[in-house]
Amino acid sequence: MNNIYKMYGILPNDLMRFVENRVKNRDRKALLQSIRLEKYLRTTDFEKLDTSKYPVCYITKATWDYPLFHMYFIVNMLDNILFCLSNKYKPVIQFENSKKINLWEQFLEQPYFVSQKDKKYQCDELDASLSWPLNPTKEEISKFSKLYQTFVKPNEQTQKYFDNEYENLIKGKRVLGVLCRGTDYTANKPKNHPIQPEADAVIALVKEKLDELKCEWIYLATEEEKIVKKFEKAFPGKILVNKRKYYDKFHTIRENQGENARISWVHFERENDNFYKSLEYFSSVNLLSKCTALIAGNCGGSRTALYLNNNCYEYSYLFDLGVY
């Protein structure tokens, strides 16, 4: 192990954290690749990185099919982007799901501009990923925020939608952002994912912190209307929510179709439903990242808010209740 430390310049504590989170089902080659990516991330200034002579790498595969755009998809693609850059390739995301939709281009700009003169390759096997922490420290938030600040750039249409919701809901206000998950996460209890707090526990902490943080408003991100109503009862006149559909009928679907039901199985009678479900979700996470402070269950959305915020919250708290 000492040779690994010397080769990659990684601290033992970082390596042990990585081993605890990711090593069990990975071979030694993948482990060393991932450590190399960790070092590359820590030591690279992406703003100064000259990719003008890098050949283009088309990223055409992902870990899952991803029927909808969500935060784990972003993480998956950021891993691929970093892998390409660390091997001196310029990444372009051309992954399409089974519906032939490039989820990245639906909402985000490509990482780099590609000219006709660039040499181009297709990258099907990207055998490395970062060690994304379940409970990121401030130092880890700063490190991973580098990727979000550089590469997670909303396209013009998405940014316009984000700006409109921000200006109408929270601009100029002191707002405590709250994320409270329900539906398939709390019903299915996915193995090795963080346990989500009960709504009553979140409400209790919000009551404790609201005056202390001098926040007049609460922005609530949740996919269940019954949770919204519970918060509105606890904090009358203080709850802000973005424009979105709620997914309470997931529970009926689960009763009829079994314990493997997913939130993506919930559909609404509108054109481009999957697009708007993804946009509403992404905008909700973006709004959380703009709040004065954050209290949330630990999930992909709340961790993304931390990375987008880049340690600018006056206070942040993710419930640490272990894993399912």
Side-chain angles (χ1 to χ4, degrees), residues 180-190 196 222-227 244 246-251 254 261-264 266 324:
C180 193
R181 280 293 319 258
T183 62
D184 56 348
Y185 205 131
T186 53
N188 294 344
K189 298 177 172 55
Q196 297 303 297
T222 183
E223 71 275 35
E224 290 195 6
E225 189 172 18
K226 69 178 183 181
I227 293 177
R244 66 177 302 162
Y246 292 104
Y247 295 77
D248 298 68
K249 66 180 181 181
F250 161 81
H251 298 288
R254 190 173 186 268
R262 295 289 181 266
I263 192 173
S264 60
V266 180
Y324 290 116

Side-chain angles (χ1 to χ4, degrees), residues 2-168:
N2 288 333
N3 290 334
I4 294 177
Y5 302 155
K6 293 177 181 177
M7 184 182 305
Y8 294 102
I10 194 167
L11 293 173
N13 286 343
D14 289 339
L15 182 58
M16 290 307 298
R17 189 180 300 112
F18 169 77
V19 169
E20 291 171 358
N21 290 341
R22 299 297 293 271
V23 168
K24 292 182 180 178
N25 296 316
R26 299 174 69 90
D27 60 27
R28 188 172 182 273
K29 179 181 177 182
L31 167 60
L32 295 179
Q33 285 274 40
S34 296
I35 296 173
R36 184 177 66 83
L37 288 189
E38 295 277 350
K39 180 181 179 182
Y40 183 81
L41 174 58
R42 293 197 319 275
T43 58
T44 300
D45 185 340
F46 294 106
E47 291 185 359
K48 296 180 179 179
L49 184 64
D50 183 6
T51 63
S52 59
K53 295 183 180 179
Y54 286 9
V56 172
C57 174
Y58 286 128
I59 299 169
T60 60
K61 290 191 176 181
T63 305
W64 292 286
D65 179 42
Y66 297 108
L68 299 172
F69 180 94
H70 58 70
M71 302 306 104
Y72 288 107
F73 171 74
I74 293 179
V75 168
N76 192 177
M77 292 300 108
L78 288 176
D79 282 342
N80 291 341
I81 288 169
L82 195 65
F83 181 80
C84 289
L85 291 173
S86 69
N87 287 285
K88 299 188 182 302
Y89 285 90
K90 189 187 303 183
V92 174
I93 297 173
Q94 287 196 333
F95 164 75
E96 294 181 349
N97 64 14
S98 58
K99 301 294 186 181
K100 301 301 180 184
I101 295 172
N102 184 325
L103 294 175
W104 187 273
E105 289 188 336
Q106 265 197 327
F107 302 107
L108 300 171
E109 300 285 354
Q110 285 289 351
Y112 291 98
F113 172 77
V114 176
S115 72
Q116 295 295 325
K117 296 180 180 179
D118 287 327
K119 293 182 180 179
K120 300 174 180 66
Y121 299 92
Q122 180 172 312
C123 302
D124 288 335
E125 301 297 331
L126 303 178
D127 186 25
S129 60
L130 290 165
S131 169
W132 292 85
L134 281 182
N135 299 285
T137 63
K138 286 191 174 182
E139 291 75 17
E140 288 169 329
I141 291 169
S142 179
K143 179 175 70 173
F144 289 101
S145 286
K146 288 173 61 176
L147 289 175
Y148 281 83
Q149 304 302 320
T150 306
F151 300 114
V152 182
K153 300 289 189 182
N155 59 32
E156 184 177 353
Q157 179 185 14
T158 304
Q159 189 62 56
K160 184 177 180 180
Y161 188 93
F162 284 3
D163 291 344
N164 183 63
E165 288 219 308
Y166 171 74
E167 290 175 6
N168 289 335

